[in-house]
Amino acid sequence: MELIVEVLGTTNNVLERQKFSKNAVAIGRGFSNDLILNDEHADAEHARLELDDEGRWWIVDQNSVNGIRQAKGKRKLDRQAVSSGEVFLLGRNKLRVYLGNHPVPPAVRIRWIESLLLWLGKPFVLVSMILSYLTVKALASYFSTIGEFKWSAFFSQNIGEVLGFIALAIAVYFLSVLFRRGGNFMSHISVLVAVFLIGALIDFLINLAVFNAGDHRYGLINTVDTISGYLIIFLYLWSVLYLAFHFSLKQRTWISLVVLGGIVLLNVLQDQMMDEWFDMQSFPVEQTLLPPTLLLTEPINAEQYANKTEAAFDRVDELRIEALDEREESEQAMVENAQAVSESL
């Protein structure tokens, strides 16, 4: 009967998978074994998988130093019947044993977003996005610079950000290598560049919206700015969990939502952002001076501004008079009530 043995990593990722068509499989660190373990905690002859006359597989300890345990058990095993799909610990090695007729789940269809992530790893795509990112940042800096635009100042302002996201991509890649999930390093860089490119475009559009918006629009822009920032974080986490760790769609979506929820909660507790979301007079971002050509809305002239200011003061006077009248009526009602009470007594 055929037998499949998988060597698992720390996150249960499959490091090695071998298929055997013999009635006994020797496992250990020695080179004479059928399955050779690369770990100093494994004996030269650590264990055997044996098929009995009834067609049942057993795992047998070979008097090893660190023994055999079930994945969720502490008791060392001398001889244990094997169920298909069961996981055993041999020293610090994690092995999963399948029978040859063990069913496998149906194939998962490749989704367009996964194809997109892999496509981003192509060199010409990465170079194109880097150039696009630098172009957007340069244009935003050029339009918002008062006086002469200098490339030296532009690079000095953005070099830290560029080095930061390259370091982040390298860290995530090596984290995936540490967990032996592997991954395309170019894809890691491309995903991060894409996220920063989207962020740069959104920042420029937010500044453009603030430059053209009136006071009553600031609360809406503030909300859009906040939501877009969280959306970018979610998309990056979701992409990394696929590229670096190959989590399923459900797993990476839930993990990304949980992490994002923690970030939102920390921001709400620290900055009381919920109050700002519903404050229609709050400023979403720092005001940026842009060229008049980017002013898409028609500005009001001095006369219109004076009329609006005068109308605002008139409205304040009206509200003040209404408040005084309401207070006078309330006081009059209190006096009449007091007189009625005294007459009844």
Side-chain angles (χ1 to χ4, degrees), residues 128-180:
S128 300
M129 287 196 302
I130 291 176
L131 293 177
S132 299
Y133 171 75
L134 293 176
T135 301
V136 172
K137 295 291 289 186
L139 288 175
S141 180
Y142 175 79
F143 285 135
S144 59
T145 297
I146 300 175
E148 182 183 0
F149 173 79
K150 296 182 178 180
W151 283 104
S152 58
F154 166 74
F155 283 112
S156 63
Q157 291 172 357
N158 294 277
I159 188 66
E161 182 177 282
V162 172
L163 293 177
F165 77 67
I166 291 177
L168 179 60
I170 293 174
V172 172
Y173 174 74
F174 279 106
L175 186 63
S176 68
V177 173
L178 178 64
F179 285 95
R180 301 190 182 184

Side-chain angles (χ1 to χ4, degrees), residues 36-292:
I36 301 174
L37 301 178
N38 184 23
D39 179 22
E40 61 182 2
H41 300 92
D43 284 67
E45 297 178 356
H46 197 107
R48 286 175 61 86
L49 287 166
E50 299 176 348
L51 182 67
D52 63 16
D53 296 336
E54 298 179 358
R56 188 167 188 179
W57 282 96
W58 297 79
I59 187 167
V60 182
D61 184 42
Q62 299 291 89
N63 296 319
S64 62
V65 173
N66 293 301
I68 303 171
R69 292 182 291 113
Q70 290 179 313
K72 297 182 179 180
K74 296 182 178 180
R75 184 175 61 87
K76 291 185 178 181
L77 307 174
D78 293 326
R79 179 180 172 87
Q80 174 75 26
V82 176
S83 300
S84 185
E86 195 168 4
V87 178
F88 296 96
L89 298 178
L90 281 65
R92 295 185 61 180
N93 300 273
K94 189 182 296 185
L95 304 182
R96 181 161 52 203
V97 182
Y98 287 117
L99 301 182
N101 58 357
H102 190 92
V104 296
V108 178
R109 185 178 299 276
I110 298 177
R111 297 174 175 83
W112 67 270
I113 187 65
E114 296 167 344
S115 299
L116 175 62
L117 292 176
L118 296 177
W119 177 77
L120 289 175
K122 296 183 177 180
F124 80 91
V125 178
L126 175 59
V127 172
S128 300
M129 287 196 302
I130 291 176
L131 293 177
S132 299
Y133 171 75
L134 293 176
T135 301
V136 172
K137 295 291 289 186
L139 288 175
S141 180
Y142 175 79
F143 285 135
S144 59
T145 297
I146 300 175
E148 182 183 0
F149 173 79
K150 296 182 178 180
W151 283 104
S152 58
F154 166 74
F155 283 112
S156 63
Q157 291 172 357
N158 294 277
I159 188 66
E161 182 177 282
V162 172
L163 293 177
F165 77 67
I166 291 177
L168 179 60
I170 293 174
V172 172
Y173 174 74
F174 279 106
L175 186 63
S176 68
V177 173
L178 178 64
F179 285 95
R180 301 190 182 184
R181 293 285 185 175
N184 188 334
F185 179 69
M186 297 288 286
S187 295
H188 288 285
I189 292 288
S190 295
V191 167
L192 198 54
V193 172
V195 169
F196 273 74
L197 174 60
I198 295 173
L201 288 172
I202 291 177
D203 286 342
F204 181 75
L205 293 176
I206 290 293
N207 288 333
L208 186 62
V210 173
F211 186 63
N212 287 273
D215 294 350
H216 62 288
R217 298 292 185 185
Y218 287 150
L220 176 61
I221 297 175
N222 185 30
T223 303
V224 172
D225 183 42
T226 303
I227 293 176
S228 63
Y230 289 137
L231 180 61
I232 289 176
I233 294 174
F234 172 81
L235 291 176
Y236 178 65
L237 289 174
W238 191 94
S239 303
V240 165
L241 290 174
Y242 171 72
L243 289 173
F245 306 105
H246 303 303
F247 286 148
S248 66
L249 174 63
K250 185 177 180 180
Q251 287 177 321
R252 58 181 180 265
T253 300
W254 275 109
I255 293 175
S256 300
L257 288 175
V258 169
V259 174
L260 185 63
I263 295 174
V264 173
L265 182 60
L266 288 176
N267 284 336
V268 170
L269 294 177
Q270 181 177 357
D271 301 327
Q272 297 181 347
M273 293 183 63
M274 290 298 293
D275 293 335
E276 295 182 6
W277 287 358
F278 298 103
D279 181 6
M280 299 307 292
Q281 297 300 322
S282 63
F283 286 80
V285 292
E286 183 180 353
Q287 288 280 5
T288 301
L289 294 177
L290 298 175

